[in-house]
């Protein structure tokens, strides 16, 4: 296992379309996080899973966003009816606990036209 | 609020030391982290420090923590052009669940 894997790396979509991103965490990690990063900013927390349970969601996560981690392994983040303001880098991270830090994937860069 | 503050930009010459500073908000944060991000890439965990420590050294990296002032710094010795990147500090605030809160990042530019 070489680390956290995210697909696709880049996604270009038209406003109003739905998009789905996938994250495969490091295999023994039970915690999975989604963050969003816009240009010139640090990553902002979106949501957190422990195993298959979604334990926390940020206020940034509007009802157009949904995340799942059905079997406690990979996770998907879906954005419905995309808006131009959704354009950002979506980062996934995983950890065993938090004391050792989070390990991030390379991200999915979303551009909404 | 949960604002972690960093200076935006630092420029140094190759071979010099770099010091990147960060001020965090939650005095009860137990762990503090430094991440590195290269263009178009995700974040790479560089090092972290437990709040009961004042200093941690890891090869060319030295982390200093001043809990009283809630100030964290990262010193990179013998800075190389490959160190050019954005550096983020992050804390885990005592909010009842575990998430990292990041600063806005410091862009380090190393010139030959």
């Amino acid at each position: 296992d070489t680390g956290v894997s995210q697909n696709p790396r880049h996604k270009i979509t038209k406003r109003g379309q739905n998009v789905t991103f996938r994250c495969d965490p490091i295999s023994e990690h039970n915690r999975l996080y989604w963050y969003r990063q816009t240009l010139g900013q640090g990553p902002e927390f979106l949501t957190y899973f422990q195993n298959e349970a979604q334990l926390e969601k940020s206020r940034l996560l509007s009802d157009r966003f949904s995340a799942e981690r059905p079997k406690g392994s990979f996770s998907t983040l879906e954005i419905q009816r995309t808006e131009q303001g959704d354009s950002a880098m979506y980062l996934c991270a995983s950890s065993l606990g938090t004391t050792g830090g989070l390990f991030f994937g390379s991200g999915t860069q979303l551009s909404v036209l | 609020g949960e604002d972690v503050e960093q200076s935006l930009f630092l420029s140094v010459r190759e071979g010099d030391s770099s010091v990147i500073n960060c001020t965090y908000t939650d005095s009860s944060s137990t762990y503090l982290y430094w991440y590195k991000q290269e263009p178009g890439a995700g974040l790479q965990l560089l090092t972290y420090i437990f709040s009961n420590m004042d200093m941690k050294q890891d090869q060319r990296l030295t982390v200093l923590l001043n809990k009283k002032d809630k100030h964290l710094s990262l010193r990179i010795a013998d800075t190389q052009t490959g160190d050019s990147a954005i550096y983020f500090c992050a804390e885990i605030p005592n909010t009842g669940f575990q998430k990292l809160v990041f600063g806005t990042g410091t862009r380090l530019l190393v010139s030959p």
Side-chain angles (χ1 to χ4, degrees), chain A residues 9 31 33 35 37 42-43 45 56 91 98-102 104-106, chain B residues 31 33 35 37 40-43 45 48 88 92 97-100 102-104:
Chain A
R9 283 298 313 275
R31 298 172 189 230
Y33 306 76
Y35 280 77
Q37 186 180 24
F45 171 79
E56 190 63 33
L91 294 163
T98 48
T99 56
L102 275 56
F104 282 84
S106 298
Chain B
Y31 286 88
Y33 302 84
Y35 281 83
Q37 187 175 37
L43 281 78
L45 176 62
Y48 62 94
F88 293 94
I92 300 177
F97 74 98
Q98 293 169 327
K99 69 176 185 183
L100 280 182
F102 287 86
T104 50

PDB file of all heavy atoms in Angstrom, chain A residues 9 31 33 35 37 42-43 45 56 91 98-102 104-106, chain B residues 31 33 35 37 40-43 45 48 88 92 97-100 102-104:
ATOM      1  N   ARG A   9      -7.808  12.674 -10.763  1.00  0.00           N
ATOM      2  CA  ARG A   9      -6.907  13.755 -10.350  1.00  0.00           C
ATOM      3  C   ARG A   9      -7.489  15.108 -10.717  1.00  0.00           C
ATOM      4  O   ARG A   9      -7.318  16.089 -10.009  1.00  0.00           O
ATOM      5  CB  ARG A   9      -5.541  13.596 -11.019  1.00  0.00           C
ATOM      6  CG  ARG A   9      -4.666  12.531 -10.417  1.00  0.00           C
ATOM      7  CD  ARG A   9      -4.298  12.795  -8.954  1.00  0.00           C
ATOM      8  NE  ARG A   9      -3.836  14.148  -8.689  1.00  0.00           N
ATOM      9  CZ  ARG A   9      -2.603  14.585  -8.825  1.00  0.00           C
ATOM     10  NH1 ARG A   9      -1.649  13.779  -9.254  1.00  0.00           N
ATOM     11  NH2 ARG A   9      -2.284  15.843  -8.547  1.00  0.00           N
ATOM     12  N   ARG A  31      -9.747   5.890  10.153  1.00  0.00           N
ATOM     13  CA  ARG A  31     -10.312   7.243  10.091  1.00  0.00           C
ATOM     14  C   ARG A  31     -10.069   7.848   8.705  1.00  0.00           C
ATOM     15  O   ARG A  31      -8.975   7.703   8.150  1.00  0.00           O
ATOM     16  CB  ARG A  31      -9.678   8.146  11.150  1.00  0.00           C
ATOM     17  CG  ARG A  31      -9.949   7.654  12.558  1.00  0.00           C
ATOM     18  CD  ARG A  31      -9.167   8.440  13.558  1.00  0.00           C
ATOM     19  NE  ARG A  31      -9.253   7.830  14.876  1.00  0.00           N
ATOM     20  CZ  ARG A  31      -9.574   8.485  15.972  1.00  0.00           C
ATOM     21  NH1 ARG A  31      -9.834   9.790  15.920  1.00  0.00           N
ATOM     22  NH2 ARG A  31      -9.613   7.860  17.132  1.00  0.00           N
ATOM     23  N   TYR A  33     -10.943  11.426   6.248  1.00  0.00           N
ATOM     24  CA  TYR A  33     -11.349  12.836   6.277  1.00  0.00           C
ATOM     25  C   TYR A  33     -11.431  13.358   4.852  1.00  0.00           C
ATOM     26  O   TYR A  33     -10.630  12.991   3.993  1.00  0.00           O
ATOM     27  CB  TYR A  33     -10.304  13.682   7.016  1.00  0.00           C
ATOM     28  CG  TYR A  33      -9.956  13.211   8.410  1.00  0.00           C
ATOM     29  CD1 TYR A  33      -9.135  12.114   8.616  1.00  0.00           C
ATOM     30  CD2 TYR A  33     -10.421  13.894   9.535  1.00  0.00           C
ATOM     31  CE1 TYR A  33      -8.805  11.693   9.897  1.00  0.00           C
ATOM     32  CE2 TYR A  33     -10.093  13.490  10.815  1.00  0.00           C
ATOM     33  CZ  TYR A  33      -9.287  12.380  10.984  1.00  0.00           C
ATOM     34  OH  TYR A  33      -8.958  11.965  12.257  1.00  0.00           O
ATOM     35  N   TYR A  35     -11.290  17.167   2.967  1.00  0.00           N
ATOM     36  CA  TYR A  35     -11.006  18.589   3.100  1.00  0.00           C
ATOM     37  C   TYR A  35     -11.179  19.234   1.730  1.00  0.00           C
ATOM     38  O   TYR A  35     -11.077  18.582   0.696  1.00  0.00           O
ATOM     39  CB  TYR A  35      -9.562  18.819   3.571  1.00  0.00           C
ATOM     40  CG  TYR A  35      -9.333  18.655   5.051  1.00  0.00           C
ATOM     41  CD1 TYR A  35      -9.249  17.390   5.628  1.00  0.00           C
ATOM     42  CD2 TYR A  35      -9.177  19.759   5.877  1.00  0.00           C
ATOM     43  CE1 TYR A  35      -9.036  17.248   6.990  1.00  0.00           C
ATOM     44  CE2 TYR A  35      -8.955  19.629   7.239  1.00  0.00           C
ATOM     45  CZ  TYR A  35      -8.883  18.365   7.792  1.00  0.00           C
ATOM     46  OH  TYR A  35      -8.658  18.224   9.136  1.00  0.00           O
ATOM     47  N   GLN A  37      -9.724  22.673  -0.498  1.00  0.00           N
ATOM     48  CA  GLN A  37      -8.706  23.727  -0.503  1.00  0.00           C
ATOM     49  C   GLN A  37      -8.888  24.601  -1.727  1.00  0.00           C
ATOM     50  O   GLN A  37      -8.921  24.111  -2.855  1.00  0.00           O
ATOM     51  CB  GLN A  37      -7.297  23.118  -0.504  1.00  0.00           C
ATOM     52  CG  GLN A  37      -6.188  24.148  -0.375  1.00  0.00           C
ATOM     53  CD  GLN A  37      -4.809  23.514  -0.369  1.00  0.00           C
ATOM     54  OE1 GLN A  37      -4.607  22.421  -0.880  1.00  0.00           O
ATOM     55  NE2 GLN A  37      -3.834  24.218   0.211  1.00  0.00           N
ATOM     56  N   GLY A  42      -5.448  27.486   3.233  1.00  0.00           N
ATOM     57  CA  GLY A  42      -5.196  26.176   3.784  1.00  0.00           C
ATOM     58  C   GLY A  42      -6.408  25.277   3.607  1.00  0.00           C
ATOM     59  O   GLY A  42      -7.505  25.754   3.318  1.00  0.00           O
ATOM     60  N   PRO A  43      -6.217  23.984   3.758  1.00  0.00           N
ATOM     61  CA  PRO A  43      -7.359  23.065   3.638  1.00  0.00           C
ATOM     62  C   PRO A  43      -8.408  23.334   4.716  1.00  0.00           C
ATOM     63  O   PRO A  43      -8.071  23.634   5.856  1.00  0.00           O
ATOM     64  CB  PRO A  43      -6.717  21.693   3.842  1.00  0.00           C
ATOM     65  CG  PRO A  43      -5.268  21.879   3.549  1.00  0.00           C
ATOM     66  CD  PRO A  43      -4.949  23.279   3.968  1.00  0.00           C
ATOM     67  N   PHE A  45     -11.776  21.699   6.660  1.00  0.00           N
ATOM     68  CA  PHE A  45     -12.414  20.440   6.993  1.00  0.00           C
ATOM     69  C   PHE A  45     -13.833  20.366   6.433  1.00  0.00           C
ATOM     70  O   PHE A  45     -14.608  21.327   6.532  1.00  0.00           O
ATOM     71  CB  PHE A  45     -12.459  20.297   8.518  1.00  0.00           C
ATOM     72  CG  PHE A  45     -13.267  19.155   9.020  1.00  0.00           C
ATOM     73  CD1 PHE A  45     -12.766  17.871   9.019  1.00  0.00           C
ATOM     74  CD2 PHE A  45     -14.559  19.372   9.501  1.00  0.00           C
ATOM     75  CE1 PHE A  45     -13.516  16.813   9.491  1.00  0.00           C
ATOM     76  CE2 PHE A  45     -15.329  18.320   9.968  1.00  0.00           C
ATOM     77  CZ  PHE A  45     -14.801  17.038   9.970  1.00  0.00           C
ATOM     78  N   GLU A  56     -18.829  13.525  11.820  1.00  0.00           N
ATOM     79  CA  GLU A  56     -18.863  14.980  11.873  1.00  0.00           C
ATOM     80  C   GLU A  56     -18.928  15.554  10.469  1.00  0.00           C
ATOM     81  O   GLU A  56     -18.292  15.038   9.554  1.00  0.00           O
ATOM     82  CB  GLU A  56     -17.616  15.520  12.582  1.00  0.00           C
ATOM     83  CG  GLU A  56     -17.678  16.998  12.892  1.00  0.00           C
ATOM     84  CD  GLU A  56     -18.791  17.381  13.852  1.00  0.00           C
ATOM     85  OE1 GLU A  56     -19.106  16.546  14.736  1.00  0.00           O
ATOM     86  OE2 GLU A  56     -19.333  18.492  13.740  1.00  0.00           O
ATOM     87  N   LEU A  91      -9.412  17.203  -1.053  1.00  0.00           N
ATOM     88  CA  LEU A  91      -8.362  16.364  -0.487  1.00  0.00           C
ATOM     89  C   LEU A  91      -8.955  15.335   0.455  1.00  0.00           C
ATOM     90  O   LEU A  91      -9.834  15.646   1.263  1.00  0.00           O
ATOM     91  CB  LEU A  91      -7.370  17.233   0.296  1.00  0.00           C
ATOM     92  CG  LEU A  91      -6.534  18.223  -0.510  1.00  0.00           C
ATOM     93  CD1 LEU A  91      -5.920  19.276   0.394  1.00  0.00           C
ATOM     94  CD2 LEU A  91      -5.445  17.501  -1.273  1.00  0.00           C
ATOM     95  N   THR A  98      -5.209  10.415  15.579  1.00  0.00           N
ATOM     96  CA  THR A  98      -4.792  11.718  15.060  1.00  0.00           C
ATOM     97  C   THR A  98      -3.454  12.144  15.618  1.00  0.00           C
ATOM     98  O   THR A  98      -2.871  13.099  15.135  1.00  0.00           O
ATOM     99  CB  THR A  98      -5.813  12.809  15.415  1.00  0.00           C
ATOM    100  OG1 THR A  98      -6.126  12.688  16.790  1.00  0.00           O
ATOM    101  CG2 THR A  98      -7.055  12.666  14.582  1.00  0.00           C
ATOM    102  N   THR A  99      -2.953  11.433  16.602  1.00  0.00           N
ATOM    103  CA  THR A  99      -1.727  11.919  17.218  1.00  0.00           C
ATOM    104  C   THR A  99      -0.560  11.868  16.245  1.00  0.00           C
ATOM    105  O   THR A  99       0.338  12.697  16.316  1.00  0.00           O
ATOM    106  CB  THR A  99      -1.393  11.092  18.468  1.00  0.00           C
ATOM    107  OG1 THR A  99      -1.315   9.711  18.095  1.00  0.00           O
ATOM    108  CG2 THR A  99      -2.460  11.258  19.521  1.00  0.00           C
ATOM    109  N   GLY A 100      -0.589  10.906  15.339  1.00  0.00           N
ATOM    110  CA  GLY A 100       0.484  10.801  14.373  1.00  0.00           C
ATOM    111  C   GLY A 100       0.259  11.608  13.123  1.00  0.00           C
ATOM    112  O   GLY A 100       1.061  11.573  12.205  1.00  0.00           O
ATOM    113  N   GLY A 101      -0.840  12.338  13.077  1.00  0.00           N
ATOM    114  CA  GLY A 101      -1.113  13.169  11.925  1.00  0.00           C
ATOM    115  C   GLY A 101      -1.952  12.465  10.881  1.00  0.00           C
ATOM    116  O   GLY A 101      -2.194  11.266  10.935  1.00  0.00           O
ATOM    117  N   LEU A 102      -2.426  13.248   9.946  1.00  0.00           N
ATOM    118  CA  LEU A 102      -3.224  12.752   8.832  1.00  0.00           C
ATOM    119  C   LEU A 102      -2.329  12.591   7.613  1.00  0.00           C
ATOM    120  O   LEU A 102      -1.429  13.400   7.374  1.00  0.00           O
ATOM    121  CB  LEU A 102      -4.344  13.748   8.509  1.00  0.00           C
ATOM    122  CG  LEU A 102      -5.643  13.655   9.296  1.00  0.00           C
ATOM    123  CD1 LEU A 102      -5.416  13.759  10.777  1.00  0.00           C
ATOM    124  CD2 LEU A 102      -6.639  14.674   8.806  1.00  0.00           C
ATOM    125  N   PHE A 104      -2.355  12.541   3.574  1.00  0.00           N
ATOM    126  CA  PHE A 104      -3.201  13.060   2.511  1.00  0.00           C
ATOM    127  C   PHE A 104      -2.915  12.395   1.170  1.00  0.00           C
ATOM    128  O   PHE A 104      -1.779  12.013   0.869  1.00  0.00           O
ATOM    129  CB  PHE A 104      -2.969  14.567   2.353  1.00  0.00           C
ATOM    130  CG  PHE A 104      -3.663  15.391   3.395  1.00  0.00           C
ATOM    131  CD1 PHE A 104      -3.084  15.601   4.640  1.00  0.00           C
ATOM    132  CD2 PHE A 104      -4.904  15.950   3.137  1.00  0.00           C
ATOM    133  CE1 PHE A 104      -3.728  16.351   5.607  1.00  0.00           C
ATOM    134  CE2 PHE A 104      -5.555  16.711   4.099  1.00  0.00           C
ATOM    135  CZ  PHE A 104      -4.962  16.909   5.332  1.00  0.00           C
ATOM    136  N   GLY A 105      -3.977  12.312   0.363  1.00  0.00           N
ATOM    137  CA  GLY A 105      -3.823  11.959  -1.026  1.00  0.00           C
ATOM    138  C   GLY A 105      -3.430  13.181  -1.842  1.00  0.00           C
ATOM    139  O   GLY A 105      -3.276  14.285  -1.302  1.00  0.00           O
ATOM    140  N   SER A 106      -3.294  12.990  -3.156  1.00  0.00           N
ATOM    141  CA  SER A 106      -2.870  14.084  -4.037  1.00  0.00           C
ATOM    142  C   SER A 106      -4.007  15.015  -4.412  1.00  0.00           C
ATOM    143  O   SER A 106      -3.762  16.043  -5.020  1.00  0.00           O
ATOM    144  CB  SER A 106      -2.247  13.506  -5.305  1.00  0.00           C
ATOM    145  OG  SER A 106      -1.109  12.747  -4.984  1.00  0.00           O
TER     146      SER A 106
ATOM    147  N   TYR B  31      -1.561  18.330  20.031  1.00  0.00           N
ATOM    148  CA  TYR B  31      -0.547  18.089  19.006  1.00  0.00           C
ATOM    149  C   TYR B  31      -0.597  19.211  17.984  1.00  0.00           C
ATOM    150  O   TYR B  31      -1.671  19.721  17.656  1.00  0.00           O
ATOM    151  CB  TYR B  31      -0.792  16.747  18.299  1.00  0.00           C
ATOM    152  CG  TYR B  31      -0.432  15.551  19.138  1.00  0.00           C
ATOM    153  CD1 TYR B  31      -1.368  15.005  20.002  1.00  0.00           C
ATOM    154  CD2 TYR B  31       0.836  14.992  19.078  1.00  0.00           C
ATOM    155  CE1 TYR B  31      -1.036  13.917  20.803  1.00  0.00           C
ATOM    156  CE2 TYR B  31       1.165  13.904  19.870  1.00  0.00           C
ATOM    157  CZ  TYR B  31       0.224  13.383  20.731  1.00  0.00           C
ATOM    158  OH  TYR B  31       0.550  12.311  21.522  1.00  0.00           O
ATOM    159  N   TYR B  33       1.226  20.375  14.127  1.00  0.00           N
ATOM    160  CA  TYR B  33       1.799  19.702  12.961  1.00  0.00           C
ATOM    161  C   TYR B  33       2.353  20.711  11.961  1.00  0.00           C
ATOM    162  O   TYR B  33       1.859  21.839  11.857  1.00  0.00           O
ATOM    163  CB  TYR B  33       0.714  18.883  12.243  1.00  0.00           C
ATOM    164  CG  TYR B  33       0.059  17.843  13.116  1.00  0.00           C
ATOM    165  CD1 TYR B  33      -1.004  18.189  13.959  1.00  0.00           C
ATOM    166  CD2 TYR B  33       0.489  16.527  13.099  1.00  0.00           C
ATOM    167  CE1 TYR B  33      -1.595  17.238  14.767  1.00  0.00           C
ATOM    168  CE2 TYR B  33      -0.109  15.568  13.903  1.00  0.00           C
ATOM    169  CZ  TYR B  33      -1.143  15.934  14.738  1.00  0.00           C
ATOM    170  OH  TYR B  33      -1.743  14.988  15.532  1.00  0.00           O
ATOM    171  N   TYR B  35       3.049  20.672   7.765  1.00  0.00           N
ATOM    172  CA  TYR B  35       2.869  19.991   6.484  1.00  0.00           C
ATOM    173  C   TYR B  35       3.538  20.805   5.389  1.00  0.00           C
ATOM    174  O   TYR B  35       3.636  22.022   5.461  1.00  0.00           O
ATOM    175  CB  TYR B  35       1.384  19.845   6.138  1.00  0.00           C
ATOM    176  CG  TYR B  35       0.681  18.724   6.858  1.00  0.00           C
ATOM    177  CD1 TYR B  35       0.190  18.899   8.146  1.00  0.00           C
ATOM    178  CD2 TYR B  35       0.496  17.487   6.252  1.00  0.00           C
ATOM    179  CE1 TYR B  35      -0.461  17.863   8.811  1.00  0.00           C
ATOM    180  CE2 TYR B  35      -0.162  16.444   6.897  1.00  0.00           C
ATOM    181  CZ  TYR B  35      -0.640  16.647   8.180  1.00  0.00           C
ATOM    182  OH  TYR B  35      -1.291  15.615   8.824  1.00  0.00           O
ATOM    183  N   GLN B  37       3.446  21.395   1.094  1.00  0.00           N
ATOM    184  CA  GLN B  37       2.664  21.167  -0.123  1.00  0.00           C
ATOM    185  C   GLN B  37       3.418  21.731  -1.316  1.00  0.00           C
ATOM    186  O   GLN B  37       3.674  22.930  -1.382  1.00  0.00           O
ATOM    187  CB  GLN B  37       1.275  21.799  -0.027  1.00  0.00           C
ATOM    188  CG  GLN B  37       0.376  21.449  -1.198  1.00  0.00           C
ATOM    189  CD  GLN B  37      -1.027  21.991  -1.035  1.00  0.00           C
ATOM    190  OE1 GLN B  37      -1.227  23.086  -0.512  1.00  0.00           O
ATOM    191  NE2 GLN B  37      -2.022  21.223  -1.477  1.00  0.00           N
ATOM    192  N   GLY B  40       0.375  21.652  -7.040  1.00  0.00           N
ATOM    193  CA  GLY B  40      -0.496  20.618  -7.604  1.00  0.00           C
ATOM    194  C   GLY B  40      -0.519  19.308  -6.851  1.00  0.00           C
ATOM    195  O   GLY B  40      -1.070  18.319  -7.338  1.00  0.00           O
ATOM    196  N   ALA B  41       0.041  19.294  -5.664  1.00  0.00           N
ATOM    197  CA  ALA B  41       0.139  18.041  -4.903  1.00  0.00           C
ATOM    198  C   ALA B  41      -0.630  18.135  -3.599  1.00  0.00           C
ATOM    199  O   ALA B  41      -1.070  19.204  -3.190  1.00  0.00           O
ATOM    200  CB  ALA B  41       1.610  17.732  -4.620  1.00  0.00           C
ATOM    201  N   GLY B  42      -0.790  16.985  -2.961  1.00  0.00           N
ATOM    202  CA  GLY B  42      -1.404  16.951  -1.640  1.00  0.00           C
ATOM    203  C   GLY B  42      -0.417  17.397  -0.583  1.00  0.00           C
ATOM    204  O   GLY B  42       0.664  17.890  -0.885  1.00  0.00           O
ATOM    205  N   LEU B  43      -0.805  17.231   0.667  1.00  0.00           N
ATOM    206  CA  LEU B  43       0.023  17.688   1.768  1.00  0.00           C
ATOM    207  C   LEU B  43       0.860  16.540   2.317  1.00  0.00           C
ATOM    208  O   LEU B  43       0.372  15.441   2.527  1.00  0.00           O
ATOM    209  CB  LEU B  43      -0.845  18.256   2.888  1.00  0.00           C
ATOM    210  CG  LEU B  43      -1.353  19.656   2.672  1.00  0.00           C
ATOM    211  CD1 LEU B  43      -2.530  19.674   1.725  1.00  0.00           C
ATOM    212  CD2 LEU B  43      -1.751  20.287   3.996  1.00  0.00           C
ATOM    213  N   LEU B  45       3.080  15.231   5.442  1.00  0.00           N
ATOM    214  CA  LEU B  45       3.369  15.455   6.855  1.00  0.00           C
ATOM    215  C   LEU B  45       4.877  15.503   7.064  1.00  0.00           C
ATOM    216  O   LEU B  45       5.592  14.559   6.732  1.00  0.00           O
ATOM    217  CB  LEU B  45       2.758  14.335   7.695  1.00  0.00           C
ATOM    218  CG  LEU B  45       3.042  14.370   9.192  1.00  0.00           C
ATOM    219  CD1 LEU B  45       2.466  15.630   9.827  1.00  0.00           C
ATOM    220  CD2 LEU B  45       2.473  13.124   9.873  1.00  0.00           C
ATOM    221  N   TYR B  48       5.649  16.645  13.753  1.00  0.00           N
ATOM    222  CA  TYR B  48       4.654  17.121  14.697  1.00  0.00           C
ATOM    223  C   TYR B  48       5.280  17.153  16.081  1.00  0.00           C
ATOM    224  O   TYR B  48       6.317  16.540  16.323  1.00  0.00           O
ATOM    225  CB  TYR B  48       3.395  16.261  14.687  1.00  0.00           C
ATOM    226  CG  TYR B  48       3.603  14.821  15.091  1.00  0.00           C
ATOM    227  CD1 TYR B  48       3.414  14.403  16.404  1.00  0.00           C
ATOM    228  CD2 TYR B  48       3.957  13.870  14.138  1.00  0.00           C
ATOM    229  CE1 TYR B  48       3.597  13.085  16.761  1.00  0.00           C
ATOM    230  CE2 TYR B  48       4.136  12.545  14.503  1.00  0.00           C
ATOM    231  CZ  TYR B  48       3.956  12.154  15.812  1.00  0.00           C
ATOM    232  OH  TYR B  48       4.125  10.842  16.164  1.00  0.00           O
ATOM    233  N   PHE B  88       2.362  24.520   5.869  1.00  0.00           N
ATOM    234  CA  PHE B  88       1.180  24.755   6.694  1.00  0.00           C
ATOM    235  C   PHE B  88       1.414  24.245   8.108  1.00  0.00           C
ATOM    236  O   PHE B  88       1.900  23.125   8.289  1.00  0.00           O
ATOM    237  CB  PHE B  88      -0.031  24.006   6.135  1.00  0.00           C
ATOM    238  CG  PHE B  88      -0.516  24.494   4.809  1.00  0.00           C
ATOM    239  CD1 PHE B  88      -0.090  23.900   3.632  1.00  0.00           C
ATOM    240  CD2 PHE B  88      -1.409  25.556   4.728  1.00  0.00           C
ATOM    241  CE1 PHE B  88      -0.543  24.341   2.408  1.00  0.00           C
ATOM    242  CE2 PHE B  88      -1.868  26.006   3.497  1.00  0.00           C
ATOM    243  CZ  PHE B  88      -1.427  25.396   2.334  1.00  0.00           C
ATOM    244  N   ILE B  92      -4.998  20.600  16.430  1.00  0.00           N
ATOM    245  CA  ILE B  92      -6.255  19.917  16.717  1.00  0.00           C
ATOM    246  C   ILE B  92      -6.882  20.655  17.892  1.00  0.00           C
ATOM    247  O   ILE B  92      -6.492  20.462  19.038  1.00  0.00           O
ATOM    248  CB  ILE B  92      -6.046  18.442  17.081  1.00  0.00           C
ATOM    249  CG1 ILE B  92      -5.374  17.713  15.932  1.00  0.00           C
ATOM    250  CG2 ILE B  92      -7.389  17.780  17.423  1.00  0.00           C
ATOM    251  CD1 ILE B  92      -5.073  16.256  16.247  1.00  0.00           C
ATOM    252  N   PHE B  97     -14.312  16.724  18.893  1.00  0.00           N
ATOM    253  CA  PHE B  97     -14.019  15.693  17.913  1.00  0.00           C
ATOM    254  C   PHE B  97     -12.726  16.072  17.229  1.00  0.00           C
ATOM    255  O   PHE B  97     -12.224  17.178  17.392  1.00  0.00           O
ATOM    256  CB  PHE B  97     -15.156  15.534  16.904  1.00  0.00           C
ATOM    257  CG  PHE B  97     -15.237  16.646  15.903  1.00  0.00           C
ATOM    258  CD1 PHE B  97     -14.683  16.515  14.637  1.00  0.00           C
ATOM    259  CD2 PHE B  97     -15.877  17.820  16.216  1.00  0.00           C
ATOM    260  CE1 PHE B  97     -14.758  17.552  13.720  1.00  0.00           C
ATOM    261  CE2 PHE B  97     -15.961  18.861  15.302  1.00  0.00           C
ATOM    262  CZ  PHE B  97     -15.390  18.723  14.048  1.00  0.00           C
ATOM    263  N   GLN B  98     -12.204  15.136  16.476  1.00  0.00           N
ATOM    264  CA  GLN B  98     -10.820  15.327  16.042  1.00  0.00           C
ATOM    265  C   GLN B  98     -10.756  15.757  14.593  1.00  0.00           C
ATOM    266  O   GLN B  98     -11.139  15.022  13.695  1.00  0.00           O
ATOM    267  CB  GLN B  98     -10.052  14.033  16.269  1.00  0.00           C
ATOM    268  CG  GLN B  98      -9.918  13.754  17.747  1.00  0.00           C
ATOM    269  CD  GLN B  98      -9.401  12.363  18.030  1.00  0.00           C
ATOM    270  OE1 GLN B  98      -9.678  11.429  17.287  1.00  0.00           O
ATOM    271  NE2 GLN B  98      -8.653  12.224  19.090  1.00  0.00           N
ATOM    272  N   LYS B  99     -10.293  16.970  14.372  1.00  0.00           N
ATOM    273  CA  LYS B  99     -10.015  17.429  13.028  1.00  0.00           C
ATOM    274  C   LYS B  99      -8.798  18.329  13.120  1.00  0.00           C
ATOM    275  O   LYS B  99      -8.515  18.936  14.150  1.00  0.00           O
ATOM    276  CB  LYS B  99     -11.180  18.225  12.451  1.00  0.00           C
ATOM    277  CG  LYS B  99     -11.395  19.558  13.129  1.00  0.00           C
ATOM    278  CD  LYS B  99     -12.494  20.366  12.480  1.00  0.00           C
ATOM    279  CE  LYS B  99     -12.568  21.739  13.127  1.00  0.00           C
ATOM    280  NZ  LYS B  99     -13.687  22.568  12.593  1.00  0.00           N
ATOM    281  N   LEU B 100      -8.074  18.437  12.031  1.00  0.00           N
ATOM    282  CA  LEU B 100      -6.957  19.373  11.948  1.00  0.00           C
ATOM    283  C   LEU B 100      -7.468  20.701  11.402  1.00  0.00           C
ATOM    284  O   LEU B 100      -8.226  20.732  10.442  1.00  0.00           O
ATOM    285  CB  LEU B 100      -5.878  18.843  11.005  1.00  0.00           C
ATOM    286  CG  LEU B 100      -4.899  17.795  11.526  1.00  0.00           C
ATOM    287  CD1 LEU B 100      -3.896  17.440  10.440  1.00  0.00           C
ATOM    288  CD2 LEU B 100      -4.187  18.276  12.760  1.00  0.00           C
ATOM    289  N   PHE B 102      -6.010  24.109   9.766  1.00  0.00           N
ATOM    290  CA  PHE B 102      -4.789  24.559   9.105  1.00  0.00           C
ATOM    291  C   PHE B 102      -4.700  26.074   9.061  1.00  0.00           C
ATOM    292  O   PHE B 102      -5.713  26.777   9.001  1.00  0.00           O
ATOM    293  CB  PHE B 102      -4.764  24.038   7.666  1.00  0.00           C
ATOM    294  CG  PHE B 102      -4.489  22.569   7.553  1.00  0.00           C
ATOM    295  CD1 PHE B 102      -5.518  21.654   7.648  1.00  0.00           C
ATOM    296  CD2 PHE B 102      -3.204  22.111   7.349  1.00  0.00           C
ATOM    297  CE1 PHE B 102      -5.276  20.294   7.546  1.00  0.00           C
ATOM    298  CE2 PHE B 102      -2.935  20.754   7.244  1.00  0.00           C
ATOM    299  CZ  PHE B 102      -3.982  19.841   7.337  1.00  0.00           C
ATOM    300  N   GLY B 103      -3.459  26.553   9.044  1.00  0.00           N
ATOM    301  CA  GLY B 103      -3.207  27.944   8.735  1.00  0.00           C
ATOM    302  C   GLY B 103      -3.323  28.168   7.232  1.00  0.00           C
ATOM    303  O   GLY B 103      -3.583  27.242   6.462  1.00  0.00           O
ATOM    304  N   THR B 104      -3.102  29.430   6.828  1.00  0.00           N
ATOM    305  CA  THR B 104      -3.233  29.770   5.408  1.00  0.00           C
ATOM    306  C   THR B 104      -1.989  29.416   4.615  1.00  0.00           C
ATOM    307  O   THR B 104      -2.004  29.477   3.395  1.00  0.00           O
ATOM    308  CB  THR B 104      -3.516  31.273   5.234  1.00  0.00           C
ATOM    309  OG1 THR B 104      -2.558  31.997   5.986  1.00  0.00           O
ATOM    310  CG2 THR B 104      -4.911  31.616   5.710  1.00  0.00           C
TER     311      THR B 104
END
